[in-house]
Amino acid sequence: MNQQIADAFDPVLDPAACFGAVMHERHVGTRNRFIYPTAFLRLPLGRLDDIRVPLLGIERRNVFAFHLRDHGRRDGSALLPWLRSILETHGVLPVCDGEVVIHTMPRIFGYVFNPVSFWFCHDAGGALRVVLAEVSNTFGERHNYLVRHDDLRAIVAGDELRATKVFHVSPFFPVQGEYRFRFEGRGTVHAVAIDYWDGGVRQLSTRVSGRAEPLSGAAMSKWLLRYPFMTLGVVARIHWQALRLALRRVSFYRKPLPPIEETT
């Protein structure tokens, strides 16, 4: 990496490719734990039109591609107006007057499935104030969880933010209980931890983390060499782990109707 670029790189607000791992661990009944390598993008929405990187297309086809239609209203419309309407509806827009960074996976060879994308909403001073978790299930449904402190103070490492579970994701857990989110950043390392609690017992832990590198052709080439079919692998691994649990006769819950509200 060019030293000048490395010295100027802001791992929080600059475009980045992150390389790391995702972990899931089931804590109740039939225990199950797995760790897979992963990679994800961190894209500042205010600078999206300026990103020009080999192998990565923004609103155009390429080996890797980020398309507006994969997020927000899913109709290809601009993302920031959609997000700001949600923030305004929930009374948090005034404190989110800085950059918004989306943490997500791009299309790879035209295919993508994002179990969850995170929208990190900062204030003008760069402090994190609100996070929108955009969740998708394998049934083609989506829901957003908006998490923040009640007093809208800055979110810092170690803070726990809670959201009532209202959306069906896994057939091996009911739609009840709550999620507890933690967002951490140490230098170039970004991590999100989500624990699912029900009845006062931690049921499931999920953690995704990665080390950020400046978004460049070198970073995307590295991604291509390491994980050329990562997005297909996400769906394959979801079904493989579901099959393992089904064969072990873990309780199965039918999918309910999705929540009426888009965001909770």
Side-chain angles (χ1 to χ4, degrees), residues 170-189:
S170 168
F172 302 104
F173 288 108
V175 180
Q176 61 189 41
E178 67 178 13
Y179 292 118
R180 301 183 184 182
F181 296 83
R182 296 189 308 279
F183 305 99
E184 301 176 4
R186 299 182 305 279
T188 59
V189 176

Side-chain angles (χ1 to χ4, degrees), residues 13 97-98 122-127:
L13 298 178
D97 55 351
H122 301 84
D123 63 22

Side-chain angles (χ1 to χ4, degrees), residues 166-238:
V166 298
F167 181 61
H168 178 82
V169 177
S170 168
F172 302 104
F173 288 108
V175 180
Q176 61 189 41
E178 67 178 13
Y179 292 118
R180 301 183 184 182
F181 296 83
R182 296 189 308 279
F183 305 99
E184 301 176 4
R186 299 182 305 279
T188 59
V189 176
H190 298 281
V192 178
I194 308 172
D195 291 335
Y196 168 53
W197 288 71
D198 187 23
V201 177
R202 185 172 60 167
Q203 308 281 324
L204 180 72
S205 293
T206 302
R207 181 178 175 88
V208 58
S209 60
R211 186 176 297 277
E213 301 182 8
L215 191 59
S216 65
M220 301 313 296
S221 296
K222 174 180 172 179
W223 189 334
L224 181 61
L225 289 172
R226 288 188 179 184
Y227 319 121
F229 303 107
M230 190 186 73
T231 48
L232 281 171
V234 169
V235 175
R237 288 164 177 168
I238 288 172

Side-chain angles (χ1 to χ4, degrees), residues 13-186:
L13 298 178
D14 283 347
C18 301
F19 299 90
V22 58
M23 182 279 294
H24 287 260
E25 182 172 6
R26 181 185 177 95
H27 299 285
V28 294
T30 300
R31 302 299 179 96
N32 190 45
R33 186 176 191 269
F34 58 88
I35 300 175
Y36 293 125
T38 192
F40 53 90
L41 295 174
R42 285 178 57 90
L43 302 175
L45 296 187
R47 297 161 58 186
L48 206 56
D49 293 340
D50 300 326
I51 295 175
R52 301 288 186 273
V53 174
L55 298 179
L56 174 64
I58 304 295
E59 277 300 281
R60 60 184 179 85
R61 292 183 180 181
N62 209 321
V63 174
F64 300 89
F66 178 86
H67 289 288
L68 303 182
R69 68 177 182 271
D70 294 330
H71 300 279
R73 294 188 177 91
R74 297 310 202 273
D75 60 1
S77 59
L79 299 179
L80 276 176
W82 171 80
L83 176 64
R84 285 171 178 151
S85 70
I86 293 175
L87 298 178
E88 184 174 22
T89 297
H90 291 269
V92 297
L93 182 59
V95 299
C96 299
D97 55 351
E99 184 63 270
V100 176
V101 176
I102 185 170
H103 157 154
T104 191
M105 288 186 288
R107 289 178 175 264
I108 305 179
F109 297 113
Y111 182 80
V112 70
F113 175 69
N114 270 299
V116 58
S117 296
F118 298 98
W119 306 60
F120 293 94
C121 306
H122 301 84
D123 63 22
L128 180 63
R129 295 287 184 154
V130 173
V131 180
L132 184 79
E134 184 183 29
V135 181
S136 300
N137 63 24
T138 55
F139 301 96
E141 299 169 339
R142 292 172 293 275
H143 187 73
N144 308 313
Y145 292 99
L146 188 73
V147 294
R148 78 287 191 278
H149 289 297
D150 290 341
D151 60 3
L152 296 182
R153 69 182 184 274
I155 301 169
V156 299
D159 286 353
E160 184 178 82
L161 299 105
R162 303 186 181 190
T164 300
K165 181 179 180 179
V166 298
F167 181 61
H168 178 82
V169 177
S170 168
F172 302 104
F173 288 108
V175 180
Q176 61 189 41
E178 67 178 13
Y179 292 118
R180 301 183 184 182
F181 296 83
R182 296 189 308 279
F183 305 99
E184 301 176 4
R186 299 182 305 279

